[in-house]
Amino acid sequence: MKQRGTYMKTRVTKLLGIEHPVIQGGMQWVSKAELASAVSEAGGLGILTALTQPGPEDLVKEIRRMRAMTVKPFGVNLTLLPTLKPVPYMDYVEAMISENIRIVETAGRSPEEFMPRFLDAGITVIHKCTSVRHAVKAQKIGCAAASVDGFECAGHPGEDDIPGLVLLPLAADALSIPIIASGGFADGRGLAAALSLGADGINMGTRFLATKEAPVHDNVKKALVDADERKSALILRTLKNSARIYKNSVADEILALEGRGTITIEELAPLVSGARGRTVYETGDIEAGVWSAGMVAGLIRDIPTVRDLVTRIVREAEDIIANRLKNMIG
Ligand code: NAD
């Protein structure tokens, strides 16, 4: 192991007080204390997902569980997207503040209405977004970093369909705050590429789903190892709320219904419901509902521990930068 102080340093490691520029994505039903604490303990930034908890009081309990597992920095994700049932977002925000959370990741839509509360509490807000214009707005309203999510990503890629290779340098040109590259990252090649494109770190969801510590059934992890890069589907395009999920029989059913033309969320709800998707993670029946997975599944070939994964990624990126790329010069 390297000695402390010799780690790769970026604006993101400095901003967040972490050792490695690797952040774990806010995954609904997955980003619980088991996974997030393992990522923080490995020197990255673990993130709990607020809406995975049924209510704000459960989030408080989860934050306390997390603190019993790690003393290292971690964050809480608050996803602001359409939901089948109303969500008391401000109550979740107050729960985070009451627990003295220092880092929040917002996603889905502008966090503007919550920013005064976050900033008053001295919270570092990372906003995850899928376009340069939204990242610029995030900077303007006081976010400390932008997590820029390319079209490759799992979950909600927005409606512009711009992959990271174009989105990241455009964001780097437009922003002065640090950038976290999100969507399509799984290895050291991706980390080195992200840094080259102007980002200061990477965010990974799907890759962390296939780790020993991810609190989901082994069948889900095995499905990711078996999947190639074509094994994701984009649903809810017709409702302008696109979501990239694992391409199973439920995804095919949804796509067939959407392909017929106008369809309402009420008609799709029994298929797309997150509560149903949750049973996939719990029971291991990967056909039981929808579950998020990115194109990056094609790059996932093993189920390592979080520590082994983070160490491998950072070492590989350092090797690429210090040797492969350097040797090309001169
Ligand atoms: P849910 O069961 O409330 O909804 C299921 C799906 O339908 C979600 O994709 C949701 O965005 C969509 N949806 C709901 N109402 C809609 C409407 N009126 N119009 C268009 N689309 C609608 O969701 P859940 O699984 O309980 O998740 C809670 C929240 O977290 C949702 O907003 C979901 O999108 C979000 N989420 C985010 C990620 C991610 O990318 N990080 C992953 C999974 C879920």
Side-chain angles (χ1 to χ4, degrees):
M1 273 300 283
K2 284 181 161 192
Q3 292 304 304
R4 201 180 167 82
T6 59
Y7 297 122
M8 187 185 277
K9 288 187 189 65
T10 73
R11 293 189 298 169
V12 160
T13 60
K14 285 178 204 154
L15 176 73
L16 304 176
I18 54 178
E19 287 152 12
H20 305 304
V22 178
I23 291 153
Q24 166 243 315
M27 292 173 276
Q28 181 71 345
W29 313 126
V30 178
S31 300
K32 300 181 190 169
E34 287 78 9
L35 177 61
S37 66
V39 176
S40 291
E41 281 294 300
L45 187 79
I47 292 194
L48 297 173
T49 306
L51 303 193
T52 292
Q53 301 305 322
E57 58 290 348
D58 304 288
L59 178 59
V60 167
K61 285 187 200 145
E62 189 67 0
I63 291 169
R64 292 181 184 173
R65 214 162 67 84
M66 178 79 178
R67 288 216 167 102
M69 295 180 181
T70 184
V71 294
K72 295 198 174 181
F74 68 95
V76 179
N77 164 286
L78 185 70
T79 295
L80 308 160
L81 279 165
T83 49
L84 295 177
K85 289 187 197 148
V87 174
Y89 294 110
M90 196 47 110
D91 295 344
Y92 279 98
V93 168
E94 293 303 339
M96 293 176 204
I97 292 171
S98 73
E99 287 302 301
N100 198 26
I101 286 300
R102 306 319 302 148
I103 301 168
V104 168
E105 179 195 68
T106 55
R109 66 173 158 82
S110 172
E112 194 165 10
E113 66 189 279
F114 307 107
M115 286 306 286
R117 231 16 225 116
F118 285 140
L119 294 178
D120 270 0
I123 290 174
T124 297
V125 181
I126 304 167
H127 184 56
K128 189 191 232 180
C129 47
T130 57
S131 75
V132 176
R133 63 189 184 284
H134 294 150
V136 168
K137 168 90 186 285
Q139 174 173 284
K140 196 169 156 214
I141 62 175
C143 294
S147 191
V148 175
D149 212 6
F151 185 53
E152 303 91 332
C153 72
H156 294 266
E159 310 305 319
D160 291 350
D161 303 356
I162 311 295
L165 200 55
V166 171
L167 197 56
L168 290 165
L170 283 173
D173 287 343
L175 299 177
S176 56
I177 54 174
I179 294 168
I180 298 156
S182 188
F185 294 98
D187 58 27
R189 295 172 298 183
L191 174 55
L195 299 175
S196 302
L197 292 168
D200 305 275
I202 54 171
N203 175 93
M204 304 192 303
T206 307
R207 177 59 272 199
F208 276 124
L209 185 53
T211 57
K212 291 214 163 50
E213 293 90 338
V216 302
H217 197 283
D218 280 350
N219 288 356
V220 173
K221 304 176 191 184
K222 287 187 189 125
L224 290 174
V225 171
D226 292 342
D228 68 18
E229 64 278 17
R230 298 166 302 169
K231 195 69 180 161
S232 77
L234 272 183
I235 60 162
L236 298 176
R237 291 236 96 171
T238 54
L239 298 180
K240 296 204 180 339
N241 184 28
S242 297
R244 189 182 298 285
I245 59 167
Y246 180 83
K247 194 171 188 319
N248 59 9
S249 54
V250 187
D252 289 339
E253 212 178 321
I254 295 165
L255 290 177
L257 286 171
E258 289 197 88
R260 278 193 217 153
T262 319
I263 185 136
T264 63
I265 186 65
E266 288 73 24
E267 290 169 281
L268 288 173
L271 294 169
V272 302
S273 136
R276 181 171 164 184
R278 182 182 194 162
T279 63
V280 171
Y281 299 125
E282 287 171 356
T283 66
D285 175 2
I286 62 166
E287 301 293 327
V290 301
W291 55 284
S292 294
M295 292 175 174
V296 79
L299 285 169
I300 295 175
R301 295 171 191 133
D302 61 358
I303 304 168
T305 64
V306 163
R307 184 175 289 281
D308 285 350
L309 178 66
V310 171
T311 306
R312 180 168 89 197
I313 289 173
V314 174
R315 293 252 166 89
E316 189 186 7
E318 286 173 346
D319 181 51
I320 290 168
I321 296 162
N323 298 310
R324 186 164 189 273
L325 298 184
K326 199 166 171 230
N327 290 341
M328 290 176 183
I329 308 289

